[in-house]
Amino acid sequence: MANFTDRLKEIFKALSPAKVGEYIQESQIYRSVFRVGVPDSDRKRMLVMLGSVFLHLHPVKVRKSGIRMRYTWCMGGITFFLFLSLTFTGLLLMFYYRPTLEYAYVDIRDLREQVPLGIMREIHRWGAHAMVIAVWLHMYRVFMTGSYKPPREFNWNVGVILLVLTLLLSFTGYLLPWDQLAIWAITVGSNMARATPFAGHEGPGSALMKLGDIAFVNNQSDARFALLGGRFVGEAALLRFYVLHCVGLPLVAGFLMAIHFWRIRRDGGISGPL
Amino acid sequence: MFIKEIINAITAPYFLITAAAILLLVSLKYPDRFYTSKSGGIVFACMFAFLGISMLDPNFRLIVTKPDNVPIVGMLFLVPFFTWFALREAVRNDQRIAEGKPLVEQEETADKVLTWPDLVYTELICMVVLTVVLIGWSMALQAPLEEPANPSSSPNPSKAPWYFLGLQEMLVYFDPWLAGVVFPGLIIVGLMAIPYIDTNPKGNGYFTLRERRWEITTFLFGFLILWILLVILGTFLRGPNWNFFGPYEFWDIHKLEALVNVNLSEYIWVKGLPWLGYNGGLPQNAFLREIFGFIVVLGYFLLIPPFLAKKWFKGFYPTLGPVRFHVMTFLLLAMAALPIKMVLRWLFNLKYIIGIPEYFFNI
Ligand code: HEM
């Protein structure tokens, strides 16, 4: 009996959290994943930044003034994090949603009523609103610190395109629930395209776009028609917006973000007085 | 109630926009009085008090608690906060420059720290806080879902998504081809042009106002007044038929606003020229009819830049060179066209400066 309790004590000792941690960290599996181990020395802290694909977006060392919340407001980072959250929740939403007139609305309704713990749509919608605000504030910060000045002119321009893409992502997503709010907001928004100079059938100069009797720009061939795939917001528009929202725009935005981040480093890191 | 009536009256677009613009310009003139910790505290206390007390009003509550409007209420606080914050930092730096001390940022530029842990941990904390906020927000507030789409019954008001309401608000003053196509295009082009137009080497990488007064004033006027304020106006203060409604006003579909807007051509041919003995009314030919409008618009874009180059912007012209200078003045004039048209509308009910509806060419 005494023997048995001794054995138990020994096992418990071996199972103390510190020991277990040590055991895990020395196991071949752990070491194969995290090459450097716990970054407890400066050398390892540097190696960890170089070794991880997620962390290598950052340089190994940064200027202290550049990473202050007071300086960056963390807004670029927040925008990026919101983009990642939106990608993740958007993926989950795609499991449930079919972009057709028959199903779009009921799928969203069922998502609300049938799916347990269903706050994915909420996170996606509020996250999207927040991302628009965050990207505005990020631009605001970059302007106020004069960080668009040389050598960062190009990155500012990449940023402006990202800003436009963020708005377009939000705009295309707005249609997908296919409720009154959605189609009328998109109708109001896309009606503008009707007035495009030369290319919209109610735009100035469109009357000039003709050859003899054949008018090139009418309500079946103008900019709005190209945007919506029809003369009004219907099934073709829903499919177009869905494809752009879920595939086209995120791909382009992701690509440009990679350039944006790369350029931050190439341009000498976060700006600061020199 | 009396106070509510006053607030309803002073939030009318002409008053709100003018007052905000004046406040912004004055505060930039005397930044060290406006952007201090104390004034910030007072302003935000007042804003919170205003929001809290106003929530007691049913009409106010209805519009502010619409799920899609909640983030915009957040923005109503965030944008002024960051404006105050950035300018307070700028004031501090400007004082340091005046005293010959190093900038706030400069004290730490030479220090290089390891990204792990200094930056990685800040980011981690940011992510955790943001995740908690998002989840909390999502549990508290359900995403809206209205009636199924019905192409034959349009709601009144029909509003674009909130971030485009600044553009929709411009539709009050300009036709869709300008408000919906040309101006958004120019905003994008203008933003992209900023780094190439602004040749001032100072103020790169730190907050300052004094070294960049002109750039910051222009940008803040565009961003805060012509964009953010118009979004807020379009969201909270525009109701059925895009009529103006004060924050405590009920959104009455039958509210009528007299529309007596008059074209420039009518002002001149029908009201002005009879004084000189001409009584023929509007000419038949559209281009002759609008000749004065063309003169005004062309004069605005063609005559003002050389004038500026000689007079007010005399200092800029040699440093910028002709290309930069003309791109800059064109963009500035285009931006100024919006407030100018607003004021003309408010004062003279001016509808179009050039109005040729036959060709959809109205300015
Ligand atoms: C999807 C949108 C965007 C993402 C995810 C993003 C992300 C970031 C991040 C993470 C940084 C690092 C510093 C910081 O957090 O402030 C940054 C810097 C920067 N961003 Fe963005 N950004 C976006 C849009 C924009 C826009 C709209 C602009 C300007 C119009 C812009 C211009 C810049 C510039 C110039 C820098 C360098 C700032 C410096 O060195 O101080 N970005 N961006």
Side-chain angles (χ1 to χ4, degrees):
Chain A
M1 201 59 200
N3 217 340
F4 182 65
T5 41
D6 280 351
R7 282 296 296 276
L8 263 186
K9 270 184 196 157
E10 248 169 57
I11 292 174
F12 270 118
K13 235 188 222 161
L15 280 177
S16 75
K19 278 265 166 59
V20 175
E22 221 168 81
Y23 176 75
I24 291 177
Q25 278 168 30
E26 273 163 18
S27 71
Q28 192 182 357
I29 298 180
Y30 182 93
R31 303 203 61 128
S32 72
V33 181
F34 303 104
R35 291 176 151 256
V36 182
V38 180
D40 47 10
S41 68
D42 279 3
R43 203 185 86 88
K44 283 187 177 173
R45 288 181 185 137
M46 291 190 203
L47 287 176
V48 94
M49 296 307 296
L50 294 170
S52 154
V53 68
F54 302 105
L55 295 175
H56 93 282
L57 279 173
H58 292 305
V60 172
K61 282 184 159 190
V62 281
R63 246 186 275 117
K64 194 160 181 189
S65 64
I67 59 168
R68 286 261 178 240
M69 286 278 273
R70 132 156 38 96
Y71 187 71
T72 64
W73 308 348
C74 208
M75 274 304 157
I78 289 178
T79 313
F80 185 53
F81 177 68
L82 286 169
F83 179 77
L84 293 181
S85 317
L86 288 167
T87 312
F88 177 68
T89 50
L91 200 82
L92 293 178
L93 290 173
M94 285 174 79
F95 291 154
Y96 297 94
Y97 176 85
R98 288 162 289 182
T100 61
L101 294 196
E102 197 182 349
Y103 292 119
Y105 181 80
V106 283
D107 282 348
I108 297 283
R109 200 193 53 209
D110 288 353
L111 195 67
R112 163 185 283 193
E113 285 166 8
Q114 314 289 342
V115 180
L117 296 179
I119 58 165
M120 282 309 135
R121 183 166 169 243
E122 275 70 20
I123 298 186
H124 199 73
R125 193 176 186 96
W126 306 140
H129 286 328
M131 183 172 167
V132 171
I133 297 175
V135 78
W136 288 354
L137 290 175
H138 173 56
M139 178 183 78
Y140 194 14
R141 185 294 280 183
V142 172
F143 184 87
M144 292 306 280
T145 57
S147 304
Y148 57 84
K149 300 189 178 202
R152 297 185 179 78
E153 308 100 306
F154 178 74
N155 218 14
W156 166 271
N157 279 284
V158 175
V160 174
I161 300 175
L162 277 170
L163 170 78
V164 175
L165 285 174
T166 307
L167 293 179
L168 288 180
L169 269 166
S170 201
F171 186 67
T172 48
Y174 217 86
L175 181 64
L176 303 183
W178 204 248
D179 61 348
Q180 281 289 71
L181 197 64
I183 66 157
W184 288 102
I186 303 307
T187 304
V188 171
S190 59
N191 271 347
M192 298 296 128
R194 211 157 47 188
T196 314
F198 302 108
H201 75 278
E202 286 180 6
S206 59
L208 303 173
M209 309 297 278
K210 62 178 171 190
L211 209 67
D213 281 347
I214 308 162
F216 289 123
V217 176
N218 57 36
N219 68 356
Q220 306 210 5
S221 67
D222 68 347
R224 184 167 191 269
F225 194 93
L227 183 69
L228 297 180
R231 276 178 294 125
F232 47 85
V233 180
E235 182 138 42
L238 181 58
L239 186 60
R240 257 167 218 223
F241 276 43
Y242 175 78
V243 172
L244 286 175
H245 184 76
C246 299
V247 186
L249 295 170
L251 268 183
V252 181
F255 186 66
L256 281 170
M257 278 180 209
I259 299 180
H260 196 59
F261 299 153
W262 177 248
R263 281 302 286 244
I264 295 174
R265 292 187 60 179
R266 290 297 104 181
D267 295 339
I270 304 289
S271 56
L274 294 172
Chain B
M1 231 173 68
F2 185 57
I3 301 177
K4 284 189 185 174
E5 301 277 309
I6 294 182
I7 295 183
N8 279 342
I10 64 170
T11 43
Y14 74 92
F15 194 91
L16 189 67
I17 297 174
T18 318
I22 292 175
L23 182 70
L24 176 71
L25 296 180
V26 171
S27 78
L28 289 177
K29 182 97 183 121
Y30 305 105
D32 29 4
R33 307 240 181 93
F34 280 82
Y35 300 105
T36 60
S37 305
K38 200 168 119 201
S39 66
I42 296 173
V43 169
F44 285 103
C46 290
M47 282 176 74
F48 275 109
F50 170 76
L51 186 70
I53 297 173
S54 298
M55 282 305 236
L56 299 173
D57 181 274
N59 291 320
F60 186 90
R61 203 163 52 225
L62 202 64
I63 179 79
V64 165
T65 52
K66 240 181 108 198
D68 268 333
N69 287 353
V70 170
I72 309 159
V73 176
M75 192 181 75
L76 196 54
F77 284 85
L78 285 174
V79 170
F81 172 78
F82 280 113
T83 305
W84 166 78
F85 185 84
L87 287 168
R88 194 193 52 163
E89 292 287 297
V91 167
R92 284 188 183 164
N93 269 343
D94 288 343
Q95 271 162 3
R96 282 164 169 255
I97 296 172
E99 292 164 10
K101 284 198 281 190
L103 303 161
V104 178
E105 290 85 359
Q106 228 152 18
E107 297 192 328
E108 292 175 337
T109 28
D111 293 358
K112 281 235 174 186
V113 291
L114 287 175
T115 308
W116 183 300
D118 283 52
L119 177 55
V120 175
Y121 275 50
T122 317
E123 288 175 342
L124 190 73
I125 295 168
C126 255
M127 288 199 300
V128 172
V129 172
L130 211 61
T131 310
V132 172
V133 169
L134 261 185
I135 291 179
W137 182 5
S138 301
M139 295 207 293
L141 197 66
Q142 200 174 40
L145 187 65
E146 298 191 349
E147 303 288 299
N150 179 357
S152 57
S153 111
S154 73
N156 190 3
S158 284
K159 290 192 178 185
W162 65 269
Y163 34 82
F164 288 152
L165 289 185
L167 301 176
Q168 201 171 351
E169 177 65 19
M170 277 190 224
L171 283 175
V172 175
Y173 307 97
F174 285 109
D175 268 20
W177 74 277
L178 284 169
V181 185
V182 173
F183 281 139
L186 284 180
I187 294 173
I188 297 170
V189 172
L191 283 174
M192 295 180 102
I194 288 177
Y196 304 101
I197 293 175
D198 175 9
T199 52
N200 176 3
K202 289 200 185 136
N204 182 348
Y206 52 96
F207 290 101
T208 170
L209 176 59
R210 201 171 293 159
E211 295 183 348
R212 300 170 61 212
R213 189 175 280 281
W214 161 241
E215 301 137 76
I216 289 185
T217 308
T218 317
F219 182 84
L220 289 191
F221 188 81
F223 181 63
L224 295 179
I225 308 288
L226 299 183
W227 185 257
I228 299 287
L229 186 66
L230 294 192
V231 168
I232 286 172
L233 200 117
T235 309
F236 296 118
L237 303 174
R238 290 291 186 181
N241 306 322
W242 208 253
N243 280 332
F244 163 75
F245 290 86
Y248 309 113
E249 219 174 315
F250 172 69
W251 281 18
D252 181 2
I253 304 195
H254 305 293
K255 175 171 178 175
L256 280 183
E257 264 180 25
L259 278 180
V260 283
N261 294 337
V262 182
N263 287 347
L264 180 68
S265 54
E266 282 165 54
Y267 266 121
I268 293 183
W269 293 102
V270 182
K271 300 197 173 158
L273 288 184
W275 289 78
L276 299 175
Y278 168 89
N279 277 315
L282 286 176
Q284 284 293 309
N285 183 307
F287 289 95
L288 182 60
R289 185 185 72 215
E290 302 301 332
I291 187 84
F292 296 103
F294 279 108
I295 292 175
V296 171
V297 173
L298 289 179
Y300 181 71
F301 281 107
L302 296 180
L303 297 183
I304 294 185
F307 172 77
L308 289 176
K310 293 239 168 56
K311 281 265 175 193
W312 291 338
F313 291 178
K314 212 163 51 185
F316 281 140
Y317 191 77
T319 46
L320 290 181
V323 175
R324 281 204 188 89
F325 181 82
H326 285 290
V327 172
M328 176 183 83
T329 41
F330 172 73
L331 290 168
L332 286 179
L333 288 173
M335 180 168 129
L338 178 60
I340 290 176
K341 184 86 190 271
M342 284 176 169
V343 172
L344 290 175
R345 173 70 55 82
W346 299 330
L347 293 180
F348 307 113
N349 290 320
L350 181 76
K351 190 171 182 199
Y352 293 130
I353 297 172
I354 300 177
I356 311 181
E358 299 91 316
Y359 295 106
F360 307 108
F361 190 75
N362 305 315
I363 293 179

